[in-house]
Amino acid sequence: MNLAIFDLDNTLIAGDSDHAWGEFLTEKGIVDARLYKETNDRFYEQYQNGTMDIMEYLNFSLKPLAEHEPSQLKQWHREFMQEKIEPILLDKAFAKLDWHRKQGDYILIITATNRFITEPIAERLDVHELIAIEPEQVDGRYTGKVAGIPSFKEGKVTRLNNWLADKDFRLSDTWFYSDSHNDLPLLRLVGKPVAVDPDESLRAEAQQKGWPVESFR
């Protein structure tokens, strides 16, 4: 059994689930629409440019989780899945996941989006396991803080290595599919990197290194 790792946002789905959650919050009037949208868009631009301070972003993005009851958050997330996620699911992504299942591979999503947002998406995609940013919880409620190392840039490598510590997978036989130059630290580590609908920086690196380039769109 080999390991097949997938990024989530703009790889397995045709959009960014973290940014889409922010849009959902503003559209529902759950947060101050103008201020939240401006900040959410600014952080997303920084992410695309590779300049985002992950802890600054998490202080912003996890705050709404701390301001509402878990039962209410779950209800909103069910609506979010129907309104924002179902429309951006990709047939070719499902086909690639199915191909790996037929090979007997173990399928892991590793994402820089938090687990509250991504766990139901990972379940919808029917993958084996998820590594995500972990929002801290105390007595069943979110605190607005992050627990542990964020799975972002080099943090994805750290989190993956921690996960691999008691497993038999070899990185030389491991696939990793991603769209983003933010994932270059992990793409350079695995034996089978694949650029999926890549941004310009990742496309250039893929062409230079001879990595496969695929499209799920």
Side-chain angles (χ1 to χ4, degrees):
M1 178 183 288
N2 291 327
L3 180 61
I5 308 173
F6 290 82
D7 175 48
L8 176 64
D9 299 313
N10 286 305
T11 300
L12 285 174
I13 59 176
D16 185 287
S17 59
D18 216 348
H19 189 259
W21 173 250
E23 290 181 334
F24 175 85
L25 294 177
T26 60
E27 290 168 9
K28 296 294 182 181
I30 298 165
V31 294
D32 180 284
R34 183 186 62 80
L35 179 60
Y36 197 93
K37 182 180 187 307
E38 287 178 358
T39 308
N40 196 38
D41 290 348
R42 174 170 57 83
F43 277 119
Y44 188 50
E45 183 177 353
Q46 290 174 358
Y47 170 81
Q48 293 175 313
N49 293 337
T51 60
M52 188 177 75
D53 181 322
I54 187 62
M55 297 310 295
E56 182 185 3
Y57 174 68
L58 291 172
N59 287 336
F60 162 75
S61 65
L62 297 180
K63 185 179 178 183
L65 299 185
E67 294 175 337
H68 300 281
E69 293 289 338
S71 58
Q72 179 64 78
L73 291 169
K74 289 180 181 178
Q75 173 58 38
W76 284 333
H77 199 290
R78 286 191 288 270
E79 297 173 22
F80 168 71
M81 288 291 294
Q82 292 301 313
E83 296 176 20
K84 294 294 187 181
I85 299 303
E86 287 293 332
I88 59 174
L89 296 177
L90 296 165
D91 289 342
K92 289 183 179 180
F94 277 107
K96 179 62 70 172
L97 291 168
D98 191 50
W99 182 85
H100 278 287
R101 289 189 198 97
K102 290 176 179 177
Q103 306 306 307
D105 297 331
Y106 192 91
I107 302 172
L108 169 71
I109 288 176
I110 184 164
T111 176
T113 300
N114 73 71
R115 181 173 293 274
F116 167 77
I117 293 173
T118 57
E119 191 163 52
I121 304 173
E123 291 171 0
R124 175 69 174 85
L125 295 170
D126 193 25
V127 303
H128 292 103
E129 201 154 347
L130 168 71
I131 294 175
I133 288 176
E134 300 290 347
E136 182 185 69
Q137 296 185 65
V138 175
D139 297 330
R141 286 201 58 146
Y142 293 105
T143 67
K145 299 178 181 179
V146 63
I149 297 169
S151 45
F152 178 62
K153 290 189 174 180
E154 290 81 3
K156 282 193 175 182
V157 174
T158 302
R159 291 284 303 280
L160 178 63
N161 283 334
N162 292 342
W163 182 83
L164 288 170
D166 60 350
K167 297 175 178 64
D168 295 327
F169 299 116
R170 294 181 300 185
L171 287 176
S172 59
D173 296 325
T174 293
W175 305 80
F176 180 39
Y177 296 82
S178 177
D179 72 292
S180 175
H181 67 279
N182 287 297
D183 284 335
L184 281 170
L186 184 49
L187 285 161
R188 291 167 178 158
L189 191 66
V190 301
K192 299 177 180 180
V194 182
V196 179
D197 300 294
D199 59 36
E200 290 183 9
S201 296
L202 177 53
R203 184 177 294 276
E205 178 101 0
Q207 290 172 344
Q208 180 184 0
K209 298 284 181 61
W211 296 344
V213 177
E214 298 185 14
S215 176
F216 293 169
R217 304 298 176 104

